[in-house]
Amino acid sequence: MRRALLAAFAVVLGCRPSRNEGAFRLRIAVVGPLTAVGPTDEPSASGYAQEWVFDPVLRTASDGSAISGLASRFRFLNSAQVVVELREGARFSDGSPVTTEDVRKSLHESRLEVREQSNGLLIESPSGAAVEPILRHDPIYRRIGNSYFGSGPFRVVSLDPEHLLLRRVVPAPGKIDEVLFLGFPTPRDPFARTLAGDADLLIVSDPKQLEFFQGVARLRIIRGHGANAIAVGMGLHRLSRAARSAIAAALPVANISRLVFGDECPPFPGGGDAKTAIPSKALDLTVIRNDLPLERTALAVARALGPLAREIRFIPVSDVFPLLKGQDFDLVMLRPLVWPPSSAALVWASDSPFNFLGYSNPHVDAALKAGDWARALQALRDDPPVVFICTPERLAVVDSRVKNPQVGPYGYLETLPDWEVVE
Amino acid sequence: MNDGSSRDAMARNLLVLVAGSGLLIALVGLSAIALLRRSAERSAQAALAVIAEQAAGRIGAYLSQQREMLHAVAGLVTGIPEAERRLVQVALDAPSLGRVTLLTARTAADRLPPHLAPADVVAALAGREVASPLYFREDLTPVMDVCVPAGAAPGTAVCATLDLLELQRQVQRIRIGKSGFALAFDSDGRLLAAGAPTLRAAVLTGEPIAESPLASKVARGEPAPAEFRGGLGEDVLAGWARLSEPRWTVVVEEPTREALAAMRNALIALSAVAVAALLFTVALGAAQSRRVLDALEIEERWRTAGRIATGISHDLGHRLAILQSTAALAEANDPAYLPLIRDNLRAEMTTLKKFVGDFADLSREVSPDQFLPLDLNAFAQSVGRAMVAHAEKAGVQIAVVPAADPPWVKGDRYLLERATLNLLSNAIEASPPGGEVSIEVSQQDGVAKLKVTDRGPGIAQERLPRIFDAFKSTKRTGAHVGMGLPNVHRIVTAHGGQTAVESELGKGSTFSIVLPIQPKPT
């Protein structure tokens, strides 16, 4: 009798639903190899997961304003100082609480200082740089050995070059429980596997590529405003301020945008007059190989410049940063971050680690430190390092079972933890 | 009994007639369905082929237009340094031509059209138009390298990377019904564009699909299959079309179930109407037949009554004549006639008693719930003994041959006795003086058999089939209106048994009662 009862008990236990039964796993097809998700690791498609594993102090609302991230409350004293209250009970995925020391270490590389006060944490930039864009951008983490732990809704479960599995730290019924990144060797494979039904989400970089997904009932197309612009970068060492200003004044932005994208990419306001004289020698144009929109932009710029344009030079992606650092170019086609407006502080501030062009303009710096983004942009226009052409939309295709997918206002897929799924 | 058999036969005939008619209608219906299906298939395939031709025409026209555009661009080439510069700009004005470059003998290897075979490069420089297979650029745009001779610059060619996204659009736009689609293949059967979303992965990966081998056959000029299992695992109807240059094929498919859905619905409706009409006809026929059968039964009853009346009037008339002559003898008051008068009266009383008895038997109901177990051996001996006196009077001997193992049956002993006595009585009457009547009991295959055999004159073969029918007696003398054997048959069949007769003229007859055997009661 006792044995029978034990057997029945074992059967009942065996029949209990497992933790993952009915869990919704979203498979994302990307180009690999996949790398560790962390604040300082090399860039790869794993970077899309960073926003779900790590919380920044502040996040970005759809209108571009700063909203609560890890900080439940925040109050700017000035553009370089903010007092924040961390979210009550905030913990890393290993269960340990988020401390002031964690925030301090996480923001150290961005040269921000963190001090405890009676009303919260005072975060400030000793150099007077605007802290808001940094607090939106920098993740708060704790490093233990080679592992990074975040306080975001997901944690990394497993990783190899072809697979990255993330699972929600605290189950949320009706939402995505697991995300599995599938890394493929070529850009063609993520498309093929998504079409074949082996993946549920695909980032689409070119509107033309959506052609493949027309009529695919299993997938829906989502669009959102872009954060990166198509722009023509100008060599700061080779071109004088006068030459850069003349080029910016000469390039017909709206025409170039229309030639390259048709009506798909809203052009930046203003634009130049192709008849403006440019005090410069003939210009070479550099573009990343196989980035068709940038390639067509280069062609359109060359046409606008007329005889002043020399040959178009194609370079691989890996050569872009050395090229920018060496300033070995006249004109280069780029995709700089332009949204939200405060991101200008990341890209154009003299002391920003993300100022890849090495641009330095005291007027811009002063405006950025003052948090006056409009003034900073005007100062940029007066001494232009780039000519902004237009901001293409962000595109993705997502499984139709996801009810409210949307491209994130700042990070491409940062809203994914809030997506609801059909149960 | 005869009436019942007749009605059964009529019912059987009617059933056969209805079944036959139904079968015929079904055969005609099935043939019509097959013909309609084939006809619907052919028209669907013809329509699909037209759509495929139109799609192939549009794709061909698009490619021709791109080539013409490239020829026009190439015609403008005059000086090489200027041409290279200008050709690069063509991509902005004619995006579908992709990157346009000048090909000369001095073009560096890394600047040659990437998918053009070396032999084609040579041919292009020699002034021939050449094209590469379709391939996908890094940005996933389907493209094809095409080179045409440069107009005023011998030994040079203008090459473009034709953007074939339009091919995708053309093919993806084709929708047939709910889930029909088009596919385009190159001459090797590689899928170039797919209207079916789940097959588009094969466009990118180059994996063959179910239609690939068919497409390469069609490209070689072999007959195009119009019905096959498609790449989505479903039977499809298809229409094919070929492009002459490049040798691509376009197939437009529609799932067979969908293509023939309208025809199937029409057939279902038609079949429903036909079945309803058939059922109505059968019901009407059955009702009419019932009325006719009822009328026939009434008529048959009257005929039976007439035969009974004829038999009764014949027999009673005969009896009446004897009684009248006996009465005349009695009126003579001659004592010498008294023995004759006594014998006549006794004989007539016996005859009339049997006559009344036969009628009484006819009216007696057979009730199975009153059946009792019966040892057929003992029963035969009992009946034999009962008839010994009557047999001796006729100078006939009765022999009972029991079965080795007494068979048991279940029945109404009185009725079974009446039936057996009837057979014995007939046998005795049929036997010549000095003859023998045997009662033999046997059992075999779950049935018990009681056979009564005489060595009389026998019965003509033509009478045997209807010998158990009422009022069909072979004896036309004496008190026989033909009620005996029908009554035997009625009693035996009511016991779940059967009757049988074998006879040969001049040798005698054997009547058998066959009853289901029962287990011996414990």
Side-chain angles (χ1 to χ4, degrees):
Chain A
M1 184 64 185
R2 190 179 162 195
R3 192 172 289 177
L5 280 173
L6 282 172
F9 186 60
V11 167
V12 169
L13 280 179
C15 292
R16 280 195 321 174
S18 70
R19 184 183 180 278
N20 287 326
E21 190 175 331
F24 189 100
R25 173 183 284 186
L26 190 84
R27 300 162 300 171
I28 303 179
V30 294
V31 179
L34 296 161
T35 59
V37 182
T40 59
D41 288 297
E42 60 186 288
S44 80
S46 305
Y48 291 116
Q50 185 168 303
E51 292 138 358
W52 320 324
V53 175
F54 301 99
D55 274 323
V57 174
L58 301 175
R59 287 192 181 271
T60 307
S62 56
D63 64 357
S65 60
I67 54 173
S68 296
L70 185 60
S72 59
R73 288 182 174 183
F74 58 93
R75 183 167 55 87
F76 280 94
L77 306 178
N78 52 58
S79 65
Q81 287 186 312
V82 62
V83 177
V84 303
E85 289 177 40
L86 296 184
R87 194 170 60 225
E88 197 173 339
R91 290 179 179 276
F92 292 113
S93 58
D94 67 345
S96 58
V98 179
T99 65
T100 305
E101 190 56 25
D102 295 317
V103 179
R104 183 178 292 124
K105 284 182 178 174
S106 302
L107 299 177
H108 177 71
E109 281 193 28
S110 294
R111 300 174 202 130
L112 298 188
E113 290 185 355
V114 179
R115 284 202 299 276
E116 278 188 3
Q117 288 190 339
S118 57
N119 57 346
L121 301 180
L122 172 66
I123 301 175
E124 65 178 338
S125 166
S127 68
V131 295
E132 186 203 292
I134 299 171
L135 296 182
R136 292 173 199 256
H137 180 270
D138 284 9
I140 305 303
Y141 60 89
R142 174 178 293 174
R143 182 175 182 176
I144 301 174
N146 289 327
S147 301
Y148 292 93
F149 294 90
S151 56
F154 283 83
R155 65 185 169 85
V156 175
V157 176
S158 62
L159 168 71
D160 63 51
E162 293 173 357
H163 304 90
L164 167 62
L165 177 63
L166 299 109
R167 186 173 293 143
R168 202 177 268 278
V169 178
V170 178
K175 294 184 177 172
I176 293 166
D177 301 286
E178 290 182 345
V179 179
L180 176 64
F181 280 86
L182 302 167
F184 295 98
T186 71
R188 189 184 306 179
D189 298 315
F191 269 77
R193 293 338 319 163
T194 307
L195 280 167
D198 299 333
D200 313 309
L201 190 150
L202 178 74
I203 303 287
V204 178
S205 59
D206 188 338
K208 280 169 71 179
Q209 294 169 341
L210 292 176
E211 198 74 39
F212 283 103
F213 297 96
Q214 295 301 325
V216 182
R218 195 180 63 78
L219 299 167
R220 62 199 293 187
I221 296 166
I222 57 171
R223 298 167 180 268
H225 69 77
N228 294 72
I230 299 285
V232 183
M234 295 177 278
L236 301 172
H237 290 185
R238 290 193 187 177
L239 300 171
S240 66
R241 176 178 172 175
R244 285 184 275 118
S245 296
I247 292 169
L251 290 181
V253 170
N255 285 349
I256 293 171
S257 174
R258 197 165 42 252
L259 264 176
V260 178
F261 295 99
D263 297 327
E264 292 277 346
C265 189
F268 271 72
D273 175 4
K275 291 172 185 167
T276 306
I278 299 173
S280 170
K281 61 180 175 54
L283 302 166
D284 63 37
L285 291 91
T286 306
V287 66
I288 299 168
R289 184 172 294 137
N290 294 321
D291 187 329
L292 199 66
L294 289 187
E295 190 179 316
R296 288 173 56 75
T297 304
L299 286 174
V301 170
R303 173 177 290 187
L305 293 173
L308 202 60
R310 284 204 309 220
E311 193 177 8
I312 296 174
R313 184 162 52 125
F314 295 91
I315 60 168
V317 177
S318 55
D319 288 356
V320 172
F321 285 111
L323 178 89
L324 297 180
K325 197 173 177 185
Q327 288 287 322
D328 184 23
F329 62 92
D330 292 329
L331 301 176
V332 62
M333 307 306 123
L334 297 171
R335 293 175 186 266
L337 187 66
V338 292
W339 193 93
S342 64
S343 61
L346 285 179
V347 182
W348 305 117
S350 303
D351 56 352
S352 168
F354 303 101
N355 182 353
F356 300 116
L357 274 176
Y359 179 75
S360 178
N361 180 336
H363 299 294
V364 172
D365 288 343
L368 293 174
K369 282 181 181 173
D372 189 343
W373 319 126
R375 185 155 61 90
L377 286 175
Q378 182 56 51
L380 269 178
R381 276 195 279 270
D382 294 341
D383 179 11
V386 293
V387 180
F388 295 112
I389 305 297
C390 65
T391 309
E393 277 187 314
R394 282 170 164 175
L395 302 164
V397 288
V398 189
D399 192 299
S400 301
R401 290 173 297 168
V402 179
K403 292 195 279 190
N404 57 340
Q406 51 185 314
V407 175
Y410 189 65
Y412 215 112
L413 299 174
E414 72 175 314
T415 61
L416 182 143
D418 299 324
W419 294 358
E420 293 172 355
V421 294
V422 176
E423 293 187 65
Chain B
M1 192 56 58
N2 184 38
D3 301 347
S5 301
S6 176
R7 278 198 299 278
D8 286 347
M10 285 179 73
R12 271 198 304 274
N13 290 341
L14 187 64
L15 187 67
V16 169
L17 190 67
V18 169
S21 304
L23 190 64
L24 187 66
I25 290 170
L27 281 173
V28 170
L30 287 172
S31 305
I33 286 170
L35 279 173
L36 276 171
R37 183 192 159 88
R38 189 70 207 123
S39 167
E41 274 180 8
R42 279 185 184 156
S43 25
Q45 284 158 357
L48 293 172
V50 168
I51 296 168
E53 286 289 352
Q54 288 172 347
R58 279 198 296 272
I59 292 167
Y62 174 75
L63 290 173
S64 299
Q65 187 189 350
Q66 299 308 309
R67 284 195 170 107
E68 280 171 24
M69 205 188 307
L70 187 59
H71 277 287
V73 170
L76 298 173
V77 172
T78 51
I80 290 175
E82 182 61 16
E84 282 181 335
R85 181 184 166 78
R86 287 193 171 190
L87 286 175
V88 169
Q89 289 291 319
V90 172
L92 283 177
D93 303 308
S96 56
L97 292 183
R99 192 179 297 152
V100 182
T101 56
L102 192 69
L103 180 68
T104 70
R106 289 200 301 262
T107 302
D110 63 344
R111 292 197 165 204
L112 291 173
H115 286 256
L116 213 56
D120 286 335
V121 172
V122 174
L125 292 174
R128 273 182 47 211
E129 180 180 329
V130 294
S132 75
L134 180 146
Y135 66 96
F136 286 87
R137 223 163 38 190
E138 284 295 313
D139 68 345
L140 300 184
T141 307
V143 293
M144 185 169 75
D145 294 332
V146 178
C147 294
V148 300
T156 60
V158 173
C159 299
T161 311
L162 287 195
D163 184 337
L164 295 178
L165 203 60
E166 182 61 24
L167 166 70
Q168 298 281 350
R169 290 195 193 101
Q170 294 277 2
V171 171
Q172 285 177 203
R173 261 184 222 139
I174 298 170
R175 305 296 304 169
I176 313 296
K178 279 185 189 167
S179 49
F181 54 83
L183 304 170
F185 297 88
D186 70 8
S187 56
D188 295 327
R190 183 196 155 123
L191 188 61
L192 303 178
T198 48
L199 295 180
R200 280 179 210 157
V203 174
L204 291 164
T205 61
E207 292 164 0
I209 62 170
E211 289 86 345
S212 293
L214 304 175
S216 57
K217 282 183 181 176
V218 174
R220 287 196 300 269
E222 293 182 28
E227 195 170 2
F228 51 85
R229 177 62 58 96
L232 297 179
E234 201 172 5
D235 288 336
V236 295
L237 297 181
W240 293 81
R242 278 189 300 169
L243 277 78
S244 55
E245 190 55 44
R247 290 190 305 125
W248 292 351
T249 53
V250 175
V251 60
V252 177
E253 299 178 5
E254 187 175 19
T256 308
R257 59 169 173 79
E258 202 176 291
L260 303 182
M263 185 272 307
R264 195 170 51 242
N265 291 342
L267 281 178
I268 288 170
L270 199 64
S271 302
V273 170
V275 167
L278 185 65
L279 289 175
F280 177 73
T281 309
V282 168
L284 196 66
Q288 287 292 347
S289 301
R290 173 56 55 196
R291 284 174 60 189
V292 170
L293 285 173
D294 288 347
L296 282 172
E297 190 178 345
I298 291 166
E299 192 180 334
E300 194 57 37
R301 278 183 196 154
W302 280 109
R303 276 198 198 136
T304 304
R307 283 207 300 275
I308 292 171
T310 304
I312 290 172
S313 58
H314 175 267
D315 282 8
L316 289 185
H318 189 66
R319 304 276 80 81
L320 199 57
I322 293 171
L323 287 174
Q324 275 178 339
S325 64
T326 305
L329 288 174
E331 282 172 0
N333 287 326
D334 185 347
Y337 293 144
L338 281 176
L340 182 59
I341 292 168
R342 183 192 61 214
D343 290 346
N344 278 356
L345 287 174
R346 278 182 179 162
E348 290 312 306
M349 278 175 63
T350 303
T351 304
L352 287 172
K353 257 172 89 178
K354 187 174 186 317
F355 188 84
V356 171
D358 281 351
F359 269 94
D361 288 348
L362 270 179
S363 63
R364 186 185 172 101
E365 289 292 326
V366 180
S367 176
D369 54 353
Q370 292 179 1
F371 287 2
L372 293 171
L374 199 64
D375 178 348
L376 206 58
N377 272 357
F379 173 79
Q381 283 163 346
S382 165
V383 176
R385 278 196 299 275
M387 289 299 283
V388 165
H390 180 60
E392 283 177 350
K393 202 172 174 183
V396 174
Q397 282 195 328
I398 292 179
V400 178
V401 183
D405 186 17
W408 284 79
V409 296
K410 229 174 171 182
D412 184 324
R413 185 182 179 91
Y414 172 78
L415 287 175
L416 288 177
E417 268 183 3
R418 294 291 302 165
T420 311
L421 287 172
N422 203 311
L423 295 180
L424 273 175
S425 172
N426 288 348
I428 291 167
E429 284 180 28
S431 297
E436 183 185 271
V437 169
S438 69
I439 310 171
E440 184 186 348
V441 179
S442 62
Q443 61 173 315
Q444 191 180 3
D445 299 332
V447 293
K449 194 178 278 187
L450 188 147
K451 291 201 289 189
V452 177
T453 305
D454 66 62
R455 300 284 178 263
I459 306 163
Q461 288 297 311
E462 65 270 18
R463 290 182 181 274
L464 292 178
R466 305 190 70 183
I467 198 156
F468 289 107
D469 289 357
F471 312 111
K472 296 288 181 187
S473 173
T474 57
K475 299 175 282 188
R476 280 298 167 210
T477 58
H480 293 94
V481 290
M483 293 302 296
L485 288 176
N487 210 15
V488 169
H489 184 75
R490 185 182 73 91
I491 290 167
V492 172
T493 51
H495 279 76
Q498 291 175 322
T499 54
V501 59
E502 294 171 50
S503 185
E504 195 175 341
L505 284 175
K507 290 193 175 175
S509 306
T510 298
F511 285 84
S512 302
I513 293 173
V514 181
L515 293 169
I517 208 158
Q518 299 292 329
K520 181 182 177 181
T522 56

